[in-house]
Amino acid sequence: MAAIIQVAAGVIFVFILLSIVVTEVNNLIARATKLRAKNLRNNINQIIEDPVIQAKVYTHPLIQLVKADPIAPSRRISPEEAAKVARSAVTSVDWIDPKTFVDVVLNTIKAESDQQLFGSLLNVIDGMPAGPERRGLRAMVNRVVATGQGMKELRNALPYVQDRRYRSDLSDIINQIDEEVSQLGVEPSANVGLMAGIRQIESQNLRNSLATVMYSADSMDVARQNLETWFSNSMSRASDNYRARMKGLSVVVALVFALALNIDTLNIAQTLWEDPAQRAQLSSELNYSVQSGELQTQVDSALPAADDEYRANQAAPANELEDAVGTGVAIANQLQNLEDLRLPIGWTLQNVGGDPQLLNDPNNLWNYFPDNNPNGWLGLLAGKILGIVATVIAAAQGAPFWFGIVNRVLRR
């Protein structure tokens, strides 16, 4: 049983080192192609289908997902211009804080409708003589705009405005707002600016989605919470999609390295089983790497970015270059560690003549040509395919998976 455990531990050691290489290569590819940022933009495209809102959100100073000049929330742009902006090259932003996203989206949706609903009201108030009365009315309107609440208090305050002219003008505007609000089909005390903004959205799907999300919100705080939950759920799905893509990439990268380096699980296991000395040596190296914490450090440093929630990664180009160089060095070190294990890894190409022993060597490419090895090439090829497939599947599971298993094996 001890021999079986040593063989299993040795093979898992190879899986861990190869998995680290695969993860490092994946992260290098993801950074070079801005895969996470593109995945983020694609997901937001799905939840915000309106190109105008997309462009304003993407270019907002708090978001800056694309390389384009900011567009003011109240500025009117054509759908064609907005679509062009939204398709601009992505930056290195690969995560957006849900609270920030909510604030930007609400501001974008409300900006124009707030101006339409309350702009005239604010103009009249700003034209009043300076003093407590003007400040009080201004504060009430600002509260309505910011929180969606306070229309009743504002209406009740109008009879106390001293100047009859201003009182009449304000009353007329409030009546117009009430009429517009009634056309929205919402209560006068609800988030009228937000609901009006939602009604103006061109995309029917987005308009219906936001109306559903905001339907039960009787204040701006509740609206923010609803929208934040909506966005967070969407980001969870985006993260799952990203993990699936990275898993597929892991399979491809693992296949490339397994074939290029001839990392054959079956051949490695057979070699360890037949060579007690090498088996014991590899087991000793594995124990040292685990006990010293060296292997844990290597596994932790190569954790895939998809294992965490979206994170901001706005490194400067110089830092990105440093990261790429550092990743390249880490990959080279892990490949050297694999080579240092002195296992049957790598290919040879040597004419072995008719020696039956040498014709069974699975590492010699010469033996896989039918003319060179008519009686044995098919069996070698079948075994090689099984061994490579086993390696690819194992490496795609990730280093943390195998590190957890080897920890349990060593405790026995």
Side-chain angles (χ1 to χ4, degrees):
M1 181 62 71
I4 294 178
I5 293 176
Q6 286 183 332
V7 170
V11 172
I12 291 175
F13 194 13
V14 174
F15 291 162
I16 292 174
L17 296 181
L18 180 58
S19 296
I20 292 174
V21 171
V22 170
T23 302
E24 293 284 12
V25 172
N26 285 354
N27 290 338
L28 187 63
I29 293 173
R31 284 197 298 269
T33 60
K34 291 184 170 58
L35 192 59
R36 287 178 62 82
K38 291 177 181 177
N39 186 70
L40 175 62
R41 182 175 66 176
N42 291 340
N43 184 69
I44 297 180
N45 283 347
Q46 293 176 8
I47 63 176
I48 301 180
E49 298 180 356
D50 190 287
V52 173
I53 298 178
Q54 284 178 9
K56 292 180 179 180
V57 170
Y58 290 162
T59 61
H60 194 281
L62 295 179
I63 303 294
Q64 294 182 332
L65 182 58
V66 299
K67 297 177 180 178
D69 294 331
I71 301 174
S74 58
R75 175 184 160 191
R76 292 194 173 187
I77 58 174
S78 67
E80 293 75 19
E81 182 183 358
K84 182 178 179 181
V85 171
R87 289 194 301 266
S88 302
V90 296
T91 61
S92 296
V93 174
D94 54 22
W95 178 82
I96 299 175
D97 179 73
K99 294 184 182 299
T100 301
F101 177 82
V102 167
D103 288 340
V104 171
V105 170
L106 289 179
N107 185 39
T108 301
I109 293 174
K110 285 167 60 345
E112 188 172 343
S113 61
D114 282 342
Q115 179 62 34
Q116 292 175 352
L117 286 173
F118 305 109
S120 298
L121 192 64
L122 289 171
N123 289 337
V124 173
I125 294 174
D126 290 340
M128 295 174 61
E133 186 176 66
R134 187 177 75 173
R135 288 196 300 270
L137 291 172
R138 195 66 156 84
M140 289 181 183
V141 175
N142 287 339
R143 180 180 175 229
V144 173
V145 172
T147 68
Q149 295 180 321
M151 280 295 295
K152 182 177 179 180
E153 291 80 355
L154 177 61
R155 190 179 295 105
N156 292 338
L158 293 185
Y160 300 98
V161 175
Q162 296 180 1
D163 191 307
R164 185 174 59 182
R165 183 186 54 176
Y166 291 122
R167 183 168 63 244
S168 176
D169 290 345
L170 292 174
S171 296
D172 290 342
I173 296 174
I174 290 292
N175 290 334
Q176 292 176 9
I177 293 176
D178 287 342
E179 183 177 350
E180 293 185 35
V181 169
S182 65
Q183 295 175 0
L184 296 175
V186 298
E187 295 296 327
S189 60
N191 302 298
V192 292
L194 178 58
M195 297 306 295
I198 291 175
R199 287 285 296 269
Q200 295 173 355
I201 294 176
E202 293 289 338
S203 169
Q204 182 177 354
N205 289 337
L206 178 60
R207 186 168 62 250
N208 293 339
S209 297
L210 287 175
T212 301
V213 170
M214 302 302 179
Y215 179 77
S216 60
D218 56 1
S219 70
M220 194 59 66
D221 288 338
V222 176
R224 283 190 171 89
Q225 293 174 5
N226 291 351
L227 189 58
E228 186 176 334
T229 300
W230 180 57
F231 178 69
S232 296
N233 291 339
S234 178
M235 287 299 99
S236 295
R237 292 192 296 270
S239 185
D240 291 340
N241 292 337
Y242 183 78
R243 287 189 180 95
R245 294 182 66 181
M246 294 305 289
K247 180 68 75 173
L249 182 59
S250 294
V251 171
V252 174
V253 174
L255 178 60
V256 170
F257 277 97
L259 286 174
L261 301 178
N262 184 27
I263 305 177
D264 180 344
T265 295
L266 300 183
N267 189 30
I268 292 173
Q270 181 179 357
T271 299
L272 293 175
W273 179 256
E274 295 174 351
D275 191 340
Q278 189 172 13
R279 189 171 66 227
Q281 176 65 27
L282 186 58
S283 179
S284 176
E285 292 181 16
L286 175 59
N287 270 287
Y288 173 78
S289 296
V290 173
Q291 297 298 331
S292 66
E294 178 182 341
L295 191 57
Q296 177 74 70
T297 300
Q298 294 174 358
V299 171
D300 290 344
S301 66
L303 280 176
D307 282 351
D308 299 320
E309 293 182 351
Y310 283 108
R311 296 181 303 233
N313 178 18
Q314 303 181 46
N319 291 335
E320 291 182 355
L321 179 59
E322 283 182 18
D323 290 342
V325 172
T327 301
V329 171
I331 293 171
N333 289 338
Q334 293 303 328
L335 292 176
Q336 184 61 51
N337 290 337
L338 277 170
E339 184 178 348
D340 291 343
L341 296 179
R342 296 180 297 280
L343 291 171
I345 293 175
W347 296 102
T348 61
L349 181 59
Q350 181 181 2
N351 188 332
V352 299
D355 190 329
Q357 294 292 332
L358 297 178
L359 283 173
N360 292 325
D361 182 5
N363 293 340
N364 191 354
L365 285 170
W366 193 87
N367 293 330
Y368 291 90
F369 291 94
D371 292 340
N372 299 337
N373 187 12
N375 298 322
W377 73 273
L378 188 57
L380 283 178
L381 182 61
K384 182 61 65 178
I385 291 175
L386 289 176
I388 293 294
V389 168
T391 300
V392 171
I393 294 175
Q397 304 309 308
F401 173 81
W402 293 111
F403 186 76
I405 291 178
V406 83
N407 266 326
R408 291 195 292 271
V409 169
L410 294 180
R411 291 195 193 105
R412 296 188 58 175

PDB file of all heavy atoms in Angstrom, residues 163-175:
ATOM      1  N   ASP A 163     -44.014  85.954  -1.463  1.00  0.00           N
ATOM      2  CA  ASP A 163     -44.277  86.695  -2.699  1.00  0.00           C
ATOM      3  C   ASP A 163     -45.320  85.934  -3.513  1.00  0.00           C
ATOM      4  O   ASP A 163     -45.106  84.790  -3.917  1.00  0.00           O
ATOM      5  CB  ASP A 163     -42.981  86.859  -3.497  1.00  0.00           C
ATOM      6  CG  ASP A 163     -43.128  87.841  -4.643  1.00  0.00           C
ATOM      7  OD1 ASP A 163     -44.059  87.667  -5.444  1.00  0.00           O
ATOM      8  OD2 ASP A 163     -42.285  88.753  -4.738  1.00  0.00           O
ATOM      9  N   ARG A 164     -46.458  86.560  -3.794  1.00  0.00           N
ATOM     10  CA  ARG A 164     -47.549  85.901  -4.495  1.00  0.00           C
ATOM     11  C   ARG A 164     -47.144  85.472  -5.912  1.00  0.00           C
ATOM     12  O   ARG A 164     -47.579  84.429  -6.407  1.00  0.00           O
ATOM     13  CB  ARG A 164     -48.758  86.833  -4.563  1.00  0.00           C
ATOM     14  CG  ARG A 164     -49.996  86.185  -5.177  1.00  0.00           C
ATOM     15  CD  ARG A 164     -51.183  87.097  -5.075  1.00  0.00           C
ATOM     16  NE  ARG A 164     -50.940  88.369  -5.762  1.00  0.00           N
ATOM     17  CZ  ARG A 164     -51.817  89.373  -5.799  1.00  0.00           C
ATOM     18  NH1 ARG A 164     -52.968  89.270  -5.141  1.00  0.00           N
ATOM     19  NH2 ARG A 164     -51.526  90.495  -6.438  1.00  0.00           N
ATOM     20  N   ARG A 165     -46.302  86.297  -6.561  1.00  0.00           N
ATOM     21  CA  ARG A 165     -45.887  85.957  -7.931  1.00  0.00           C
ATOM     22  C   ARG A 165     -45.114  84.648  -7.949  1.00  0.00           C
ATOM     23  O   ARG A 165     -45.383  83.760  -8.767  1.00  0.00           O
ATOM     24  CB  ARG A 165     -45.022  87.092  -8.493  1.00  0.00           C
ATOM     25  CG  ARG A 165     -44.587  86.868  -9.944  1.00  0.00           C
ATOM     26  CD  ARG A 165     -43.618  87.934 -10.375  1.00  0.00           C
ATOM     27  NE  ARG A 165     -42.476  88.019  -9.458  1.00  0.00           N
ATOM     28  CZ  ARG A 165     -41.434  88.834  -9.653  1.00  0.00           C
ATOM     29  NH1 ARG A 165     -41.394  89.634 -10.698  1.00  0.00           N
ATOM     30  NH2 ARG A 165     -40.452  88.856  -8.783  1.00  0.00           N
ATOM     31  N   TYR A 166     -44.139  84.528  -7.053  1.00  0.00           N
ATOM     32  CA  TYR A 166     -43.362  83.281  -6.992  1.00  0.00           C
ATOM     33  C   TYR A 166     -44.251  82.117  -6.555  1.00  0.00           C
ATOM     34  O   TYR A 166     -44.118  80.989  -7.052  1.00  0.00           O
ATOM     35  CB  TYR A 166     -42.190  83.428  -6.020  1.00  0.00           C
ATOM     36  CG  TYR A 166     -41.117  84.370  -6.508  1.00  0.00           C
ATOM     37  CD1 TYR A 166     -40.745  85.487  -5.750  1.00  0.00           C
ATOM     38  CD2 TYR A 166     -40.462  84.158  -7.717  1.00  0.00           C
ATOM     39  CE1 TYR A 166     -39.766  86.356  -6.184  1.00  0.00           C
ATOM     40  CE2 TYR A 166     -39.483  85.028  -8.162  1.00  0.00           C
ATOM     41  CZ  TYR A 166     -39.135  86.126  -7.387  1.00  0.00           C
ATOM     42  OH  TYR A 166     -38.160  86.993  -7.818  1.00  0.00           O
ATOM     43  N   ARG A 167     -45.167  82.387  -5.618  1.00  0.00           N
ATOM     44  CA  ARG A 167     -46.056  81.335  -5.139  1.00  0.00           C
ATOM     45  C   ARG A 167     -46.912  80.802  -6.285  1.00  0.00           C
ATOM     46  O   ARG A 167     -47.100  79.584  -6.431  1.00  0.00           O
ATOM     47  CB  ARG A 167     -46.939  81.886  -4.025  1.00  0.00           C
ATOM     48  CG  ARG A 167     -47.852  80.823  -3.409  1.00  0.00           C
ATOM     49  CD  ARG A 167     -48.505  81.319  -2.131  1.00  0.00           C
ATOM     50  NE  ARG A 167     -49.370  82.464  -2.359  1.00  0.00           N
ATOM     51  CZ  ARG A 167     -49.174  83.681  -1.872  1.00  0.00           C
ATOM     52  NH1 ARG A 167     -48.113  83.941  -1.122  1.00  0.00           N
ATOM     53  NH2 ARG A 167     -50.022  84.679  -2.127  1.00  0.00           N
ATOM     54  N   SER A 168     -47.399  81.694  -7.136  1.00  0.00           N
ATOM     55  CA  SER A 168     -48.219  81.286  -8.273  1.00  0.00           C
ATOM     56  C   SER A 168     -47.411  80.491  -9.292  1.00  0.00           C
ATOM     57  O   SER A 168     -47.862  79.453  -9.793  1.00  0.00           O
ATOM     58  CB  SER A 168     -48.838  82.521  -8.929  1.00  0.00           C
ATOM     59  OG  SER A 168     -49.552  82.163 -10.084  1.00  0.00           O
ATOM     60  N   ASP A 169     -46.206  80.993  -9.608  1.00  0.00           N
ATOM     61  CA  ASP A 169     -45.355  80.295 -10.583  1.00  0.00           C
ATOM     62  C   ASP A 169     -44.996  78.894 -10.094  1.00  0.00           C
ATOM     63  O   ASP A 169     -45.042  77.915 -10.861  1.00  0.00           O
ATOM     64  CB  ASP A 169     -44.081  81.102 -10.841  1.00  0.00           C
ATOM     65  CG  ASP A 169     -44.348  82.380 -11.624  1.00  0.00           C
ATOM     66  OD1 ASP A 169     -45.458  82.493 -12.206  1.00  0.00           O
ATOM     67  OD2 ASP A 169     -43.471  83.273 -11.637  1.00  0.00           O
ATOM     68  N   LEU A 170     -44.626  78.797  -8.830  1.00  0.00           N
ATOM     69  CA  LEU A 170     -44.245  77.493  -8.276  1.00  0.00           C
ATOM     70  C   LEU A 170     -45.427  76.532  -8.260  1.00  0.00           C
ATOM     71  O   LEU A 170     -45.279  75.339  -8.559  1.00  0.00           O
ATOM     72  CB  LEU A 170     -43.681  77.673  -6.863  1.00  0.00           C
ATOM     73  CG  LEU A 170     -42.331  78.392  -6.755  1.00  0.00           C
ATOM     74  CD1 LEU A 170     -41.967  78.630  -5.296  1.00  0.00           C
ATOM     75  CD2 LEU A 170     -41.227  77.590  -7.442  1.00  0.00           C
ATOM     76  N   SER A 171     -46.598  77.043  -7.941  1.00  0.00           N
ATOM     77  CA  SER A 171     -47.797  76.197  -7.918  1.00  0.00           C
ATOM     78  C   SER A 171     -48.115  75.670  -9.308  1.00  0.00           C
ATOM     79  O   SER A 171     -48.474  74.492  -9.488  1.00  0.00           O
ATOM     80  CB  SER A 171     -48.993  76.991  -7.363  1.00  0.00           C
ATOM     81  OG  SER A 171     -48.774  77.358  -6.022  1.00  0.00           O
ATOM     82  N   ASP A 172     -47.993  76.543 -10.321  1.00  0.00           N
ATOM     83  CA  ASP A 172     -48.252  76.115 -11.699  1.00  0.00           C
ATOM     84  C   ASP A 172     -47.292  75.002 -12.116  1.00  0.00           C
ATOM     85  O   ASP A 172     -47.697  74.011 -12.753  1.00  0.00           O
ATOM     86  CB  ASP A 172     -48.115  77.303 -12.657  1.00  0.00           C
ATOM     87  CG  ASP A 172     -49.244  78.322 -12.493  1.00  0.00           C
ATOM     88  OD1 ASP A 172     -50.273  77.944 -11.905  1.00  0.00           O
ATOM     89  OD2 ASP A 172     -49.067  79.469 -12.945  1.00  0.00           O
ATOM     90  N   ILE A 173     -46.016  75.169 -11.755  1.00  0.00           N
ATOM     91  CA  ILE A 173     -45.019  74.160 -12.142  1.00  0.00           C
ATOM     92  C   ILE A 173     -45.268  72.842 -11.399  1.00  0.00           C
ATOM     93  O   ILE A 173     -45.170  71.755 -11.986  1.00  0.00           O
ATOM     94  CB  ILE A 173     -43.592  74.678 -11.866  1.00  0.00           C
ATOM     95  CG1 ILE A 173     -43.301  75.893 -12.755  1.00  0.00           C
ATOM     96  CG2 ILE A 173     -42.568  73.569 -12.115  1.00  0.00           C
ATOM     97  CD1 ILE A 173     -41.977  76.566 -12.445  1.00  0.00           C
ATOM     98  N   ILE A 174     -45.617  72.935 -10.106  1.00  0.00           N
ATOM     99  CA  ILE A 174     -45.920  71.719  -9.344  1.00  0.00           C
ATOM    100  C   ILE A 174     -47.104  70.987  -9.958  1.00  0.00           C
ATOM    101  O   ILE A 174     -47.114  69.751 -10.069  1.00  0.00           O
ATOM    102  CB  ILE A 174     -46.212  72.068  -7.866  1.00  0.00           C
ATOM    103  CG1 ILE A 174     -44.930  72.520  -7.161  1.00  0.00           C
ATOM    104  CG2 ILE A 174     -46.810  70.860  -7.137  1.00  0.00           C
ATOM    105  CD1 ILE A 174     -43.904  71.433  -6.991  1.00  0.00           C
ATOM    106  N   ASN A 175     -48.117  71.756 -10.404  1.00  0.00           N
ATOM    107  CA  ASN A 175     -49.275  71.131 -11.046  1.00  0.00           C
ATOM    108  C   ASN A 175     -48.869  70.424 -12.349  1.00  0.00           C
ATOM    109  O   ASN A 175     -49.378  69.347 -12.670  1.00  0.00           O
ATOM    110  CB  ASN A 175     -50.349  72.175 -11.327  1.00  0.00           C
ATOM    111  CG  ASN A 175     -51.003  72.677 -10.054  1.00  0.00           C
ATOM    112  OD1 ASN A 175     -51.031  71.977  -9.049  1.00  0.00           O
ATOM    113  ND2 ASN A 175     -51.522  73.915 -10.093  1.00  0.00           N
TER     114      ASN A 175
END
